[in-house]
Amino acid sequence: MIIQRVVLNSRPGKNGVPVAENFRLEQSTIADTIQAGQVRVKTLFLSVDPYMRCRMNEDTGSDYLQPWQLLEVADGGGIGVVEESKHDNLAEGDFVTSFTWPWQTVAILDGSLLQKLVPQLVNGRLSYFLGAAGITGLTALLGVREKGHVAVGAGQTMVVSGAAGACGSLAGQIGRLEGCSRVVGIAGTDEKCSILVQEMGFDAAINYKKGNVAEQLRELCPGGVDVYFDNVGGDISDTVISQMNQNSHIILCGQISQYNKDVPYPPPLPPDIEKIRKERNITRERFLVLNYMDKHEASILQLCQWIQEGKLKVRETMVEGLANIGAAFQSMMSGGNIGKQIVSVSK
């Protein structure tokens, strides 16, 4: 069977900025028949995420991420529909997902590595299982619960950087749902800031490209910052940390400003900021959602419930066509999208 797939065409280099041309669409073939335990699936949606920048390097810098190989098919979170099955628990027409879905139009996969989806849990919006009701939502929810130390009635203020992104836009809303009394986002355009406040219930949002971020933070968080959901690292995070309270908490989710630099993860803080962190006993621990597998199922159900109740607003940037996945990746890494970046492969 002839299919289309996307391979890693070139590496941007550890300090390089990814471009669409790092990926290439090509024709390939898969077997016409499947073996016992396998399923043939048609790809519907693929997820494009910041962590994938690390997979473009020969060394990902992580013990849990494998690098993409040159001229081999890329992979990541994906959703598809079963076209043929020789697996006991999967049937034709089932919707399934995997965290290692190949970037191709049709694939033959091991049925035991797939998770069956229930579209009704997300009001039929299947792509949500790659975002708000998937690993992105899990990262936001478990990050807040396991590292944020949010307590109802404690009057805590949360700041979220990268707040208009897939994880940040959810984290701020979840911080509110979990008990924060004030939530402030940091984003890169007036449009993003407006969406955070008017649509997603943030109390305020700062456009870091306009004005003095430190001054705006002092004005919007007069009692200081108790919880910081850090998606970006770098200068923005240094500014936030300098205004954090005694015994406050950093949820170290991502460091997107550092992904095109050859630095360790998590990147060390500048000496003056590290001094503040230690003096104020601010926690800053590496957070991996994969370390909380026992809490995934209950957490996904909680996220789905909030979605159904309208308490969790979801934004997606949908790109049509497998041929455009490289451009989608470039756009995401440049901060051009709002919410989760999804590529619609086939309908």
Side-chain angles (χ1 to χ4, degrees), residues 6-274:
V6 170
V7 302
L8 182 65
N9 190 49
S10 59
R11 300 189 190 278
K14 285 190 174 183
N15 300 306
V17 177
V19 294
E21 290 73 25
N22 291 134
F23 301 95
R24 187 179 78 243
L25 181 72
E26 65 179 26
Q27 271 196 353
S28 185
T29 59
I30 60 172
D32 291 325
T33 59
I34 61 174
Q35 306 300 314
Q38 292 182 328
V39 295
R40 188 179 75 247
V41 292
K42 180 171 70 172
T43 304
L44 300 178
F45 301 104
L46 294 170
S47 176
V48 181
D49 302 285
Y51 82 87
M52 292 173 170
R53 173 62 184 86
C54 302
R55 301 192 68 191
M56 299 181 80
N57 297 333
E58 289 184 73
D59 179 5
T60 65
S62 168
D63 53 5
Y64 68 95
L65 284 180
Q66 295 299 312
W68 284 327
Q69 298 301 312
L70 280 174
L71 307 182
E72 296 292 334
V73 66
D75 69 292
I79 289 173
V81 60
V82 175
E83 293 187 321
E84 183 183 358
S85 176
K86 289 189 178 179
H87 188 277
D88 291 343
N89 296 327
L90 295 173
E92 181 182 343
D94 283 345
F95 295 106
V96 291
T97 187
S98 167
F99 194 57
T100 56
W101 197 286
W103 287 8
Q104 56 193 58
T105 50
V106 180
I108 295 174
L109 303 175
D110 181 345
S112 64
L113 301 180
L114 298 174
Q115 179 185 355
K116 191 186 298 187
L117 299 175
V118 182
Q120 292 84 352
L121 289 176
V122 288
N123 301 323
R125 297 292 297 271
L126 274 173
S127 57
Y128 282 12
F129 284 116
L130 293 178
I135 195 74
T136 309
L138 280 174
T139 301
L141 177 57
L142 291 172
V144 170
R145 286 184 171 176
E146 300 298 327
K147 300 296 184 181
H149 303 276
V150 174
V152 176
Q156 292 161 297
T157 293
M158 172 187 274
V159 171
V160 183
S161 59
C167 198
S169 60
L170 299 172
Q173 297 179 76
I174 290 169
R176 168 84 75 206
L177 290 166
E178 290 289 288
C180 285
S181 62
R182 186 164 182 77
V183 179
V184 175
I186 302 175
T189 69
D190 289 343
E191 178 193 9
K192 290 178 179 179
C193 290
S194 176
I195 288 170
L196 290 174
V197 174
Q198 297 180 16
E199 186 176 312
M200 297 183 172
F202 284 60
D203 292 284
I206 296 169
N207 181 349
Y208 70 86
K209 296 180 180 178
K210 284 187 174 181
N212 186 299
V213 175
E215 289 180 0
Q216 293 177 77
L217 267 179
R218 279 190 288 272
E219 179 182 338
L220 295 172
C221 307
V225 179
D226 302 295
V227 183
Y228 173 40
F229 200 100
D230 184 7
N231 284 304
V232 302
D235 293 341
I236 294 293
S237 290
D238 296 345
T239 301
V240 176
I241 294 169
S242 68
Q243 296 189 34
M244 294 186 73
N245 294 324
Q246 194 75 24
N247 301 318
S248 54
H249 305 284
I250 299 168
I251 303 166
L252 193 59
C253 178
Q255 301 282 278
I256 194 169
S257 73
Q258 308 297 301
Y259 286 166
N260 294 326
K261 301 176 182 178
D262 186 13
V263 294
Y265 186 85
L269 296 171
D272 56 330
I273 302 300
E274 178 64 14

Side-chain angles (χ1 to χ4, degrees), residues 301-317:
L301 290 175
Q302 174 66 86
L303 291 162
C304 290
Q305 180 181 334
W306 282 336
I307 291 169
Q308 289 176 332
E309 293 172 348
K311 293 179 179 178
L312 197 59
K313 307 296 184 183
V314 182
R315 271 274 186 157
E316 292 179 325
T317 299

